[in-house]
Amino acid sequence: MATNQTSISAQGSKLHISTGLAAIAPITGVQRTNPVVITSPGHGRALGDVVTLTGIVGTTALNGLTAVVQYVTPDTIALAGVDASAMGEYDSGGTIT
């Protein structure tokens, strides 16, 4: 199911408003980079989508994080403003919503 999103910018702030629900996508890897890159084959996300990460084992600092997709490939997303270079090593699991 697609997510519709609108972005509103004002005075250096950006508000993202999403409607609908995107499919839950399983996470299979986390690159501890700046910005963080999440591997999730066939995730279905697009540039500018707002996502939330949960259930990650290892790189637990990412759990509960909500961020904007900055870069996207069919199997990975990079999250704007999220520096994972000093976070723990990814072990397993997690989902993108």
Side-chain angles (χ1 to χ4, degrees), residues 38-49:
I38 306 295
T39 303
S40 177
H43 56 75
R45 300 316 189 266
L47 182 68
D49 281 356

Side-chain angles (χ1 to χ4, degrees), residues 61-95:
L62 295 173
N63 288 324
L65 177 80
T66 299
V68 177
V69 175
Q70 181 177 11
Y71 304 108
V72 66
T73 73
D75 296 329
T76 63
I77 59 173
L79 303 180
V82 182
D83 181 356
S85 58
M87 293 182 184
E89 190 73 34
Y90 175 79
D91 185 34
S92 63
T95 57

Side-chain angles (χ1 to χ4, degrees), residues 1-3 20-28 38-45 49-56 77 93-97:
M1 183 180 298
T3 300
L21 295 173
I24 296 173
I27 295 170
T28 60
I38 306 295
T39 303
S40 177
H43 56 75
R45 300 316 189 266
D49 281 356
V50 177
V51 299
T52 300
L53 307 178
T54 57
I56 298 170
I77 59 173
T95 57
I96 302 169
T97 55

